[in-house]
């Protein structure tokens, strides 16, 4: 029985993700203004960085694949990837917090649903929406601002992104555990997101930092992912570069996922023990 | 449902001091107790939201602590809170969502959701957002969610405490019907008047301790002092003073005035005194009894006696 039970359980839990996706899609569609303003913001973001790009001398930009691209090419990859960071960390925490505040958290927890499914389900809509938004952003940058992405580097770039997303998800699970335990945590999460983003090279090359900050920044998984993605998508570096980046990211991915899942389970058990799951 | 010696403390505060409870299929057990008695704690332990400090609870044969997921599949839960749904989406979409979390396929969840919405009289509002529902409608939706899987055990936490009488009666009827279909129901409440004719058994909890567990009729037998309000008229020249009426009533009968009303008295009888005998003595003394109402029900009397609040 145990041989067939495990896949059946996994199938059953995976099926629940579709329910979360539909729920959040319906909720998002009920806030039409919010949805429209998000796309307006996206356009505004493209416009702002297009103008900022005109101020930045391309010779000051780092080279990828032997050629120096424009600032807009550099920053567009940064913005695209950091979008996943914000979803993974911010949205996961917000999802748990808003379920607490709405009073629906206990309703979810009395269903036979695994905590991992609850966590993944809470961001399933974002995991679909953010890539779509990212692709549209990159298409706009390419179409309107003439940024040339290397077609051969897209798949290796996506492979790097796929390795990086679980790192973010693990950190997000830790923040969700913090919110469950302390009921707050927005400030700490904001600082962590800020620190990770600033030292990642999202908006400017990390070579501009003092040496010791740069050395630390090179250990930032977001910086590693960005470096690899810029090399493949802008510089045309192929699978070898991608595999090298993936190998560097893998310890972060495994550690982050394990810590995230363990901490969230621990937080849930602690709250069940204390009896304070519904308290906010 | 079988609960044995379940204990739980929050820090120094004892919330449950070894509770035993057994509810058979098709029976409604009212969980009665004042605020802080431990009713919600017991229900939260049964749903796995809180871990017990000791003891064991089995739901439809499944140990809640050992296999909480399997136990949850057998439990329908109506929480006390009024915000347990996603307000921006429709009633039916909420039910389909929760149905899928219980492992139903989308088609099956929708089919069951439609059936349950019809059962609770919400079929016309099924497609409307929950934020347009009245409080009573949300409660009925909550009952519909709890019954989605026809669970063998239904736990209801203060479902009627803030409902108008009509909505409250409707929710009770829905739950009674679930019991008639074979569910074992635990109904936590503070509303004493609603358990007569509704519950089969009562468990009275007070500060985490079981004060009584048995049939409703047995609980009513626990009431000793009985209070009645009488409206009287004298067929003689004038209405006698309360002390004079007390003398007429005889031993074991306490008579007090009710507010400033001249024609109303409160009669408190000892357990061994028959109301009929007292009324007969009054009528023989030319007092006409225009009206006689019980001030508190036997259930209330018993409850106050068991929870040590008789003076209230």
């Amino acid at each position: 029985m145990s041989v067939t039970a495990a896949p059946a359980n996994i199938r059953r839990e995976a099926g629940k993700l579709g329910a979360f996706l539909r729920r959040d899609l319906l909720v998002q569609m009920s806030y039409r203004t919010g949805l429209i303003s998000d796309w307006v913001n996206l356009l505004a973001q493209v416009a702002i960085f297009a103008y900022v790009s005109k101020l930045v001398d391309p010779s000051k930009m780092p080279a990828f694949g032997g050629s120096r691209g424009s600032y807009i090419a550099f920053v567009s990859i940064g913005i695209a990837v950091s979008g996943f960071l914000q979803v993974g960390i911010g949205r996961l925490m917000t999802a748990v917090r808003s379920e607490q505040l709405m009073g629906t958290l206990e309703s979810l927890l009395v269903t036979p649903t695994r905590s991992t499914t609850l966590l993944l389900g809470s961001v399933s809509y974002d995991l679909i929406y953010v890539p779509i938004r990212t692709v549209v952003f990159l298409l706009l940058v390419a179409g309107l601002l003439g940024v040339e992405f290397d077609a051969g580097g897209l798949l290796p770039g996506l492979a790097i992104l796929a390795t990086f997303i679980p790192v973010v998800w693990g950190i997000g699970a830790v923040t969700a555990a913090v919110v469950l335990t302390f009921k707050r945590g927005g400030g700490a999460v904001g600082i962590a997101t800020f620190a990770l983003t600033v030292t990642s090279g999202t908006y400017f090359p990390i070579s501009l930092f003092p040496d010791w900050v740069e050395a630390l920044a090179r250990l930032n998984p977001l910086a590693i992912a960005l470096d690899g993605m810029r090399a493949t998508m802008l510089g045309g570096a192929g699978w070898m570069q991608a595999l090298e980046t993936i190998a560097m990211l893998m310890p972060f991915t495994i550690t982050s996922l394990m810590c995230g899942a363990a901490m969230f389970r621990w937080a849930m058990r602690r709250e069940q023990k204390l009896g304070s799951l519904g308290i906010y | 449902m079988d609960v044995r010696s379940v204990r739980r403390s929050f820090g120094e505060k004892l919330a449950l001091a070894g509770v035993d409870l057994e509810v058979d299929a098709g029976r409604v057990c009212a969980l009665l107790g004042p605020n802080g008695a431990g009713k919600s704690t017991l229900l939260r332990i049964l749903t796995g939201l809180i871990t017990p400090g000791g003891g064991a609870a089995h739901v439809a044969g499944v140990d809640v602590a050992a296999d909480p997921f399997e136990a949850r599949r057998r439990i329908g839960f109506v929480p006390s809170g009024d915000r347990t749904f996603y307000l921006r989406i429709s009633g039916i979409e909420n039910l389909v969502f929760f149905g899928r979390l219980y492992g139903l396929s989308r088609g099956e969840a929708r089919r069951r959701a439609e059936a349950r919405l019809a059962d609770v009289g919400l079929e016309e509002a099924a497609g409307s957002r929950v934020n347009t529902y009245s409080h009573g409608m949300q409660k009925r939706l909550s009952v519909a969610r709890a019954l989605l899987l026809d669970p063998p055990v239904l736990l209801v936490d203060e479902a009627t405490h803030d409902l108008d009488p009509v909505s409250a009666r409707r929710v009770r009827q829905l739950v009674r019907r679930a019991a008639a279909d074979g569910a074992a129901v635990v109904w936590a409440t503070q509303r004493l008047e609603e358990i007569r004719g509704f519950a089969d058994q009562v468990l009275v909890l007070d500060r985490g301790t079981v004060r009584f567990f048995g049939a409703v009729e047995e609980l009513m037998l626990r009431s000793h002092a009985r209070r009645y309000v009488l409206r009287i008229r004298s067929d003689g020249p004038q209405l006698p003073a309360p002390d004079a009426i007390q003398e007429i009533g005889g031993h074991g009968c306490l008579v007090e005035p009710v507010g400033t009303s001249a024609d109303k008295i409160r009669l408190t009888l000892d357990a061994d005194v028959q109301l009929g005998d007292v009324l007969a003595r009054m009528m023989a003394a030319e007092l006409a009894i225009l009206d006689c109402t019980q001030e508190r029900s036997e259930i209330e009397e018993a409850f106050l006696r068991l929870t040590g609040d008789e003076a209230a």
Side-chain angles (χ1 to χ4, degrees):
Chain A
M1 182 184 165
S2 59
V3 177
T4 54
N9 285 342
I10 291 169
R11 267 202 307 276
R12 189 162 50 204
E13 291 300 301
K16 294 175 184 177
L17 297 179
F20 280 101
L21 180 63
R22 184 175 171 80
R23 177 201 69 179
D24 289 344
L25 183 67
L26 290 170
V27 170
Q28 289 300 325
M29 281 168 61
S30 78
Y31 290 107
R32 285 196 196 97
T33 318
L35 208 57
I36 292 166
S37 71
D38 186 44
W39 288 98
V40 171
N41 280 339
L42 185 74
L43 286 172
Q45 212 174 14
V46 173
I48 288 167
F49 283 105
Y51 283 106
V52 172
S53 183
K54 290 183 181 187
L55 297 172
V56 180
D57 180 358
S59 66
K60 298 276 171 66
M61 299 306 298
F64 294 102
S67 63
R68 291 177 193 280
S70 62
Y71 177 69
I72 187 70
F74 175 88
V75 82
S76 59
I77 301 283
I79 290 168
V81 179
S82 64
F84 286 91
L85 183 81
Q86 277 147 21
V87 167
I89 298 180
R91 296 274 175 95
L92 198 54
M93 181 199 73
T94 313
V96 171
R97 183 79 184 127
S98 65
E99 299 277 8
Q100 264 182 336
L101 292 173
M102 281 195 298
T104 46
L105 184 64
E106 288 198 350
S107 300
L108 291 178
L109 295 176
V110 296
T111 66
T113 304
R114 306 266 161 201
S115 55
T116 317
T117 311
L118 290 178
L119 278 179
L120 266 178
S122 301
V123 289
S124 58
Y125 168 79
D126 291 310
L127 289 177
I128 304 281
Y129 177 68
V130 173
I132 292 171
R133 193 182 183 279
T134 305
V135 167
V136 171
F137 174 74
L138 293 177
L139 287 175
L140 283 174
V141 169
L144 298 177
L145 306 174
V147 172
E148 289 181 9
F149 296 106
D150 190 291
L154 287 179
L155 274 181
L158 283 176
I160 294 171
L161 187 62
T163 316
F164 173 67
I165 287 173
V167 177
V168 174
W169 190 79
I171 300 171
V174 172
T175 64
V178 168
V179 167
L180 264 184
T181 307
F182 301 109
K183 317 300 174 197
R184 303 257 169 191
V189 170
I191 291 168
T193 310
F194 176 76
L196 277 172
T197 309
V198 165
T199 60
S200 66
T202 298
Y203 299 105
F204 52 86
I206 55 175
S207 56
L208 295 178
F209 282 126
D211 289 348
W212 68 272
V213 181
E214 187 187 342
L216 283 176
R218 293 214 175 275
L219 298 173
N220 179 346
L222 178 57
I224 296 168
L226 276 176
D227 213 33
M229 287 184 70
R230 282 177 180 137
T232 53
M233 292 177 70
L234 298 178
W239 278 105
M240 279 310 289
Q241 170 70 49
L243 289 173
E244 198 179 299
T245 306
I246 288 169
M248 287 168 74
L249 282 174
M250 204 49 92
F252 290 102
T253 305
I254 294 167
T255 311
S256 176
L257 270 181
M258 286 173 65
C259 285
M263 277 198 68
F264 191 76
R265 271 201 299 270
W266 172 83
M268 288 279 286
R269 273 201 294 268
R270 179 182 179 275
E271 293 305 297
Q272 283 171 327
K273 234 175 195 171
L274 294 176
S276 55
L277 259 174
I279 297 168
Y280 52 86
Chain B
M1 161 136 40
D2 190 14
V3 175
R4 295 272 168 244
S5 307
V6 164
R7 295 185 303 279
R8 174 71 215 215
S9 296
F10 295 109
E12 296 291 303
K13 189 178 179 296
L14 184 68
L16 292 174
V19 172
D20 293 313
L21 170 67
E22 200 177 329
V23 186
D24 291 332
R27 309 274 287 171
V28 175
C29 175
L31 196 54
L32 211 55
N35 284 329
K39 305 184 297 292
S40 293
T41 302
L42 180 58
L43 295 190
R44 288 155 73 86
I45 285 174
L46 292 173
T47 53
L49 287 171
I50 300 178
T51 46
H58 287 81
V59 169
V62 177
D63 187 333
V64 174
D67 196 350
F69 287 95
E70 206 45 53
R72 284 174 196 161
R73 284 198 181 89
R74 289 160 161 77
I75 292 175
F77 181 48
V78 181
S80 62
D82 55 352
R83 292 188 307 160
T84 63
F85 287 100
Y86 299 97
L87 302 179
R88 304 280 300 187
I89 60 178
S90 68
I92 190 158
E93 285 293 349
N94 265 286
L95 290 197
V96 171
F97 170 70
F98 282 104
R100 295 200 68 192
L101 294 195
Y102 276 95
L104 298 177
S105 69
R106 183 162 163 64
E108 179 65 5
R110 192 162 191 94
R111 193 186 64 72
R112 282 175 178 260
E114 283 169 352
R116 291 297 163 268
L117 284 166
D119 289 345
V120 301
L122 287 175
E123 63 269 57
E124 282 182 21
S128 305
R129 284 185 191 168
V130 174
N131 60 10
T132 65
Y133 283 26
S134 69
H135 197 58
M137 288 164 81
Q138 287 196 36
K139 274 287 177 245
R140 279 188 277 149
L141 187 64
S142 193
V143 174
R145 175 175 59 190
L147 297 176
L148 262 184
L149 268 80
D150 298 316
V153 170
L154 184 60
L155 306 177
V156 188
D157 192 6
E158 311 245 6
T160 55
H161 74 285
D162 48 1
L163 291 186
D164 63 77
V166 176
S167 301
R169 189 173 59 186
R170 194 156 190 181
V171 170
R172 280 196 301 275
Q173 284 169 344
L174 290 167
V175 169
R176 195 64 243 190
R177 203 189 308 162
D181 290 341
V185 179
V186 177
W187 174 276
T189 185
Q190 292 185 64
R191 292 173 74 157
L192 305 173
E193 74 280 5
E194 71 180 6
I195 69 169
R196 192 204 295 256
F198 168 67
D200 304 299
Q201 298 164 281
V202 190
L203 183 131
V204 178
L205 264 180
D206 181 35
R207 282 156 283 188
T209 303
V210 177
R211 302 288 182 200
F212 174 84
F213 179 52
V216 176
E217 295 73 25
E218 285 175 51
L219 176 70
M220 285 154 68
L221 290 175
R222 296 288 184 106
S223 66
H224 290 269
R226 293 155 297 157
R227 296 190 198 188
Y228 301 88
V229 173
L230 268 55
R231 196 156 66 84
I232 51 177
R233 192 188 64 212
S234 171
D235 290 338
Q238 62 178 44
L239 198 64
D243 327 354
I245 299 174
Q246 182 159 332
E247 270 190 37
I248 296 167
H251 175 74
C253 165
L254 175 69
V255 175
E256 302 160 288
V258 177
T260 54
S261 179
D263 62 345
K264 278 190 180 169
I265 54 168
R266 178 182 294 110
L267 208 60
T268 304
L269 305 181
D270 284 355
D272 56 342
V273 176
Q274 293 296 318
L275 176 66
D277 294 344
V278 175
L279 296 184
R281 281 197 287 275
M282 286 182 173
M283 284 190 286
E286 295 188 324
L287 285 175
I289 314 295
L290 303 176
D291 197 16
C292 174
T293 54
Q294 200 170 23
E295 192 177 45
R296 286 175 182 159
S297 68
E298 290 99 328
I299 294 172
E300 188 177 1
E301 292 287 358
F303 176 77
L304 293 173
R305 187 179 170 81
L306 287 164
T307 55
D309 283 335
E310 262 180 309

